[in-house]
Amino acid sequence: MPNDTNLKVTFCSGAGTVTGSNFLLEGNGKKFLIDCGLIQGEKLADDTNWDPFPYDASKIDILFITHGHIDHIGRIPKLISEGFTGKIISTIPTKEITAIMLEDTMHLLSRDVERGLDKIYTEDNIKKTISLWETLEYHQVLNVDHGFQFSFYDAGHILGSGMLEIVYNGKKIVFTGDLGNSPSPLLPDTEVITDADYLIMESTYGDRNHENRNERKSKLMQVIKDNYNRKGTLIIPTFSLERTQELLYEMDSMVENNLIPRMPIFLDSPLAIRLTDIYVKYEKYFNKETLKVVATGDELFDFPGLKETLLTDESKAILHVPNPKIIIAGSGMSNGGRITHHEKNYLPNVNDTILLTGYQALGTLGRLIFDGAKRLHILGEEVKLNAHVETISGYSGHKDSDHLVEFVQNMANKVKKVYVVMGEPKSSMFLAQKLRDNLNIDASAPDAGEQVTLEC
Ligand SMILES: [Zn+2]
């Protein structure tokens, strides 16, 4: 053992921003990365994705992936391009979700020849990514030489999401990845951690709480019934990963228990259709209540009236299906994807409805709709918004401020230091302050690029 057993953490990106999770943990001759995600949002931020990494990719031993959202995996092909040949490790569902998500991202980004992304997002780099990948079950321990042990605990955020625990020299370090808004319709609650010495945690909702989580299902039911009674079309822009499956699961139980009238419901997203297949394949990772439903033989995401429209022609044909009907399509913030075609068609109609079920970032069409804009530009046309606009906020995939504090409270007696990352600066700083004030623990919100030492 060298004398200096301390570890260093560099917050390469994903500090001071929600997205772009990428942290370097090094010490005792080893280098590990936690996540390698895309920075998303403003154009300026997007551009920093293509700056060189602040480390030598060829010297990284292992890349650990907390979950399959693109802001945690999206720059893996770039890491491969820069010479990474180490192992990639995650839970089993995360590996399969990543393969689908990267392929989908490749179709979009490889068109950007100007910035050389056609050389980064190649079939070949995605194949290499998957060939380097190994998996762990939750709680399974991976021993790595020089005295490191790694394991994943269920974060309850999306299927396969894991908090990464590192045991080294008797100390425990936990990277949370994203923390789920438990209880979730499908997933088990975030596992309780009581004994971390160092915690690196997300803070997407560090400064605010969610509203009406308990009413989310009844609100969804009401919106569906109102649309039915108006004989309208209900369009739901949604995220393909987790949110879509949550909505299908809720609708499945409503339809099969005759709580809503029968009508055509279209799942109009090739990405969501493929990801839903992964959810069906790995239903063993669902929570107890959902497993009981599985045990009755019910297919969780398939019910009378549901139609998956994989092909473009099938998608276009939805327009000619008589009302009332429901269309679920991507993307979740209406910044591209099939939903924009539906928005152009249906938003001018007073009897139709658009239902927003997730956060709408500034600069997206979804945000304009959320903010009540009456005239929109969609696919080169001016579109009047006369349809009903409904919002359900309870389906967020992230813990809110109070529940983030509650998560840390379980380890308040043990934890030496909490680093609050993966949030807008005001959100991260607010949460760090709240942890200091409410729990009397040492917490700070590091800047992107900052390096800290963990005494081990
Ligand atoms: Zn996530």
Side-chain angles (χ1 to χ4, degrees):
M1 277 279 188
N3 288 335
D4 185 8
T5 56
N6 290 342
L7 299 179
K8 274 190 239 159
V9 176
T10 310
F11 306 97
C12 307
S13 61
T17 54
V18 171
T19 61
S21 175
N22 184 223
F23 309 119
L24 173 66
L25 174 76
E26 56 188 325
N28 203 359
K30 302 297 264 186
K31 285 178 193 285
F32 307 105
L33 282 180
I34 294 91
D35 289 341
C36 194
L38 268 181
I39 305 164
Q40 296 170 298
E42 306 282 319
K43 182 145 192 334
L44 257 181
D46 286 354
D47 289 344
T48 61
N49 279 313
W50 319 118
D51 294 344
F53 288 113
Y55 43 78
D56 181 348
S58 69
K59 299 269 160 58
I60 303 294
D61 296 287
I62 306 177
L63 163 64
F64 292 91
I65 296 293
T66 61
H67 66 287
H69 272 142
I70 209 70
D71 58 325
H72 295 256
I73 58 166
R75 279 190 294 170
I76 303 176
K78 181 168 182 276
L79 196 71
I80 303 273
S81 276
E82 291 194 13
F84 174 75
T85 54
K87 278 186 202 171
I88 306 176
I89 301 205
S90 76
T91 64
I92 297 160
T94 297
K95 179 182 176 180
E96 294 203 29
I97 289 169
T98 300
I100 293 172
M101 295 293 277
L102 285 183
E103 214 172 281
D104 187 69
T105 305
M106 177 181 74
H107 293 310
L108 274 170
L109 292 184
S110 62
R111 289 182 213 150
D112 192 342
V113 179
E114 205 178 304
R115 287 191 286 187
L117 303 194
D118 55 323
K119 306 270 185 329
I120 293 174
Y121 289 88
T122 60
E123 299 259 4
D124 208 37
N125 278 345
I126 291 174
K127 260 192 212 141
K128 267 186 209 155
T129 299
I130 300 307
S131 72
L132 297 172
W133 210 295
E134 293 175 18
T135 56
L136 291 173
E137 285 287 358
Y138 289 116
H139 304 168
Q140 191 185 340
V141 176
L142 172 77
N143 285 298
V144 175
D145 49 2
H146 299 210
F148 291 90
Q149 287 186 328
F150 296 87
S151 32
F152 285 107
Y153 287 81
D154 199 337
H157 168 60
I158 64 169
L159 178 68
S161 63
M163 301 180 269
L164 180 67
E165 180 193 89
I166 300 130
V167 178
Y168 171 74
N169 213 22
K171 294 287 191 303
K172 202 171 262 191
I173 303 141
V174 174
F175 287 81
T176 64
D178 288 343
L179 291 168
N181 180 24
S182 306
S184 126
L186 287 170
L187 303 177
D189 289 357
T190 308
E191 285 191 73
V192 172
I193 293 183
T194 57
D195 56 355
D197 295 283
Y198 296 101
L199 180 71
I200 294 91
M201 74 181 298
E202 71 123 324
S203 59
T204 310
Y205 286 89
D207 62 345
R208 53 209 193 281
N209 284 329
H210 300 316
E211 291 159 15
N212 20 282
R213 186 170 63 186
N214 298 331
E215 291 117 54
R216 61 191 173 193
K217 191 172 175 184
S218 53
K219 174 91 192 269
L220 176 63
M221 195 148 61
Q222 196 56 50
V223 171
I224 291 172
K225 282 182 185 168
D226 289 347
N227 175 70
Y228 183 87
N229 293 335
R230 281 194 293 265
K231 298 191 169 46
T233 297
L234 168 61
I235 57 175
I236 310 180
T238 188
F239 302 100
S240 303
L241 180 51
E242 194 74 20
R243 188 65 36 79
T244 292
Q245 292 78 29
E246 286 178 344
L247 290 173
L248 289 178
Y249 178 61
E250 304 276 49
M251 288 181 185
D252 181 289
S253 85
M254 289 177 201
V255 168
E256 291 180 355
N257 293 301
N258 295 315
L259 299 172
I260 53 172
R262 295 278 167 97
M263 71 195 97
I265 300 177
F266 296 94
L267 178 56
D268 189 31
S269 160
L271 178 62
I273 292 168
R274 294 183 70 193
L275 289 167
T276 302
D277 290 341
I278 302 291
Y279 274 68
V280 172
K281 185 172 171 186
Y282 290 111
E283 57 193 18
K284 72 167 184 167
Y285 291 100
F286 294 157
N287 62 35
K288 284 201 185 96
E289 297 70 42
T290 309
L291 289 177
K292 276 184 205 157
V293 181
V294 172
T296 66
D298 182 31
E299 291 183 55
L300 299 180
F301 312 108
D302 197 8
F303 46 87
L306 180 68
K307 187 166 168 29
E308 295 183 342
T309 45
L310 206 52
L311 305 174
T312 310
D313 283 347
E314 293 174 316
S315 173
K316 287 181 179 161
I318 296 173
L319 188 59
H320 308 295
V321 174
N323 285 339
K325 64 188 175 204
I326 300 174
I327 306 167
I328 302 168
S331 70
M333 298 190 200
S334 305
N335 48 344
R338 287 184 180 174
I339 193 69
T340 50
H341 294 273
H342 298 304
E343 285 168 336
K344 195 179 81 175
N345 291 333
Y346 298 105
L347 290 183
N349 306 334
V350 287
N351 289 331
D352 295 343
T353 305
I354 180 164
L355 172 62
L356 305 173
T357 63
Y359 175 69
Q360 306 294 320
L362 267 177
T364 61
L365 176 61
R367 181 60 169 260
L368 293 174
I369 295 170
F370 178 80
D371 285 341
K374 288 291 164 216
R375 282 169 194 277
L376 304 160
H377 286 274
I378 305 176
L379 301 169
E381 280 180 32
E382 188 175 284
V383 174
K384 277 189 189 169
L385 201 172
N386 298 318
H388 297 256
V389 179
E390 298 282 355
T391 305
I392 304 179
S393 64
Y395 283 102
S396 170
H398 294 266
K399 284 197 198 308
D400 66 9
S401 185
D402 284 352
H403 289 92
L404 288 169
V405 172
E406 189 186 279
F407 174 78
V408 180
Q409 193 165 19
N410 296 314
M411 63 184 87
N413 292 333
K414 177 87 190 289
V415 73
K416 289 189 179 62
K417 175 88 191 190
V418 179
Y419 297 99
V420 181
V421 294
M422 291 180 277
E424 297 299 329
K426 74 174 174 43
S427 188
S428 300
M429 286 192 275
F430 184 92
L431 181 62
Q433 182 74 46
K434 201 164 160 182
L435 293 173
R436 290 193 296 265
D437 292 349
N438 293 14
L439 304 178
N440 194 28
I441 56 176
D442 188 1
S444 69
D447 294 324
E450 202 175 316
Q451 188 179 68
V452 297
T453 301
L454 312 184
E455 285 176 23
C456 292

